[in-house]
Amino acid sequence: MKNRQSTFSNPVLSIIIPVHNEADVIPTLLKRLDLACRQLPGQVELLFVDDGSRDNSVAQLLRARDRYSGIRVLELSRNFGKEAAVTAGLENARGDAVVLMDADLQDPPELIPRMVRAWQKGADVVLMKRRSRAGESWLKRTTASIFYRLINHISDASIPVDTGDFRLMSRRTVDALNRLPERNRYLKGMFAWVGMPTVTLEFDRDPRLAGKTKWNYLKLIHLAMEGITSFSTRPLRIALILGLLAAGVGGLFGTWEVIRALAFGISTPGYASMIAVITFLSGVQLLCVGLLGEYVGRIYMETKQRPVFIVAEDSDDIAQPLLTQLRVAGNDQKH
Ligand code: UDP
Ligand code: MG
């Protein structure tokens, strides 16, 4: 399938699409992908990673394999989250270049030929930058912008603002990504960390075609924590500095109190300020312990060495008749 010598004359492009309950958009997605892929120079592998969908997304995708060639469906054993689904896609993609896109058509497939052209001109990473974010609330846009500013300030890899996961990556970039062993996967940070010659194209991000976003604020906060703690230990240093400052101020204040008591005698008032100082400092202490715990927890998760995802079913295996027979027999026994 893959021909290394003629990468650019007859390239294989893998398009990775994580899918979680996207039954409403799949028919349109397939139509638009089909049209877009007809304009591409080589073969295309559509790699759908089903991330534990509970609607009929998978059934639709498997049916689509009869109409369109080049579709592969990787079914994860449960919902592992988008980052894990994309990781599964990256590890299984066979293309000379790989495009990542969302299923909900917020990333227009019509742009893929442009991305491929930029890759053929020599870019390793073709990054799609949003000119507008139609259909996203003011709150989401503002929190996103604050978050990127914060994370770029405190972490070492700089993450480009207003870019999502929509991008094309060359084979060597994907191979580099696949070599990153961490279990806590903050992909945007990992992409930035890997680097490689990058070209940025602008596009208008469409609103979600149908269905609703799988993100809620709790998940976003989790991802933000993930982003901050997996790419920097600077928060620990900030905690240290905060502690030093508090200790310094406390020391000075204590000295002053002693001198004052010696010079003018002991004065008792100050209950309110004492409580204020105690609650403030214990708050800071708890915060720092919590922060430390966040990193310890991360170490704990990493040492378990669990795989990031489990593949329950791979449509490419289904094509082999023997396996299908075995699987049917197995299923019969269960019922
Ligand atoms: N997705 C996934 N697993 C999840 C949540 C989302 O694979 O647990 C997929 C989803 O099907 C879509 C993409 O990730 O293809 C982006 O999700 P969504 O559109 O809900 O996120 P948003 O665009 O609002 O950030
Ligand atoms: Mg979306």
Side-chain angles (χ1 to χ4, degrees), residues 293-307:
E294 190 68 36
Y295 283 95
V296 175
R298 201 127 301 201
I299 297 170
Y300 172 61
M301 295 311 280
E302 294 291 339
T303 50
K304 286 212 257 189
Q305 293 280 308
R306 291 205 178 147

Side-chain angles (χ1 to χ4, degrees), residues 73-249:
V73 186
L74 219 56
E75 290 170 53
L76 303 190
S77 59
R78 63 171 172 87
N79 179 249
F80 280 90
K82 183 185 173 185
E83 314 287 298
V86 170
T87 304
L90 288 173
E91 281 183 17
N92 284 281
R94 289 177 283 218
D96 299 310
V98 171
V99 166
L100 291 185
M101 63 174 278
D102 285 358
D104 59 359
L105 290 168
Q106 282 193 289
D107 310 328
E110 290 74 21
L111 296 173
I112 294 175
R114 243 176 83 198
M115 297 161 80
V116 170
R117 278 197 294 277
W119 167 61
Q120 284 174 319
K121 278 190 204 140
D124 272 280
V125 178
V126 184
L127 207 61
M128 302 307 283
K129 188 176 154 90
R130 300 164 195 171
R131 208 178 294 133
S132 62
R133 288 175 155 228
E136 288 187 6
S137 67
W138 175 87
L139 193 66
K140 181 155 182 193
R141 271 174 300 163
T142 322
T143 44
S145 127
I146 293 175
F147 169 65
Y148 284 118
R149 224 158 288 166
L150 181 75
I151 192 168
N152 280 339
H153 195 70
I154 61 170
S155 73
D156 307 320
S158 127
I159 297 167
V161 182
D162 274 339
T163 58
D165 294 338
F166 189 28
R167 65 184 62 223
L168 177 146
M169 289 180 285
S170 63
R171 174 46 48 192
R172 63 174 186 172
T173 312
V174 174
D175 287 344
L177 270 170
N178 288 342
R179 277 206 302 274
L180 299 191
E182 57 249 62
R183 316 284 126 178
N184 293 294
R185 299 188 81 81
Y186 180 66
L187 282 174
K188 271 183 206 162
M190 292 164 64
F191 294 147
W193 187 88
V194 165
M196 294 281 178
T198 302
V199 164
T200 308
L201 304 179
E202 291 208 330
F203 80 109
D204 293 308
R205 188 157 159 94
D206 295 331
R208 192 173 232 292
L209 186 76
K212 56 179 193 297
T213 173
K214 311 293 181 302
W215 292 104
N216 54 39
Y217 270 90
L218 222 67
K219 273 195 188 172
L220 280 179
I221 290 172
H222 179 77
L223 194 70
M225 283 303 292
E226 190 87 50
I228 292 169
T229 47
S230 49
F231 275 85
S232 167
T233 48
R234 212 156 298 167
L236 291 176
R237 199 159 317 145
I238 295 172
L240 190 75
I241 293 169
L242 218 66
L244 279 176
L245 272 178
V249 171

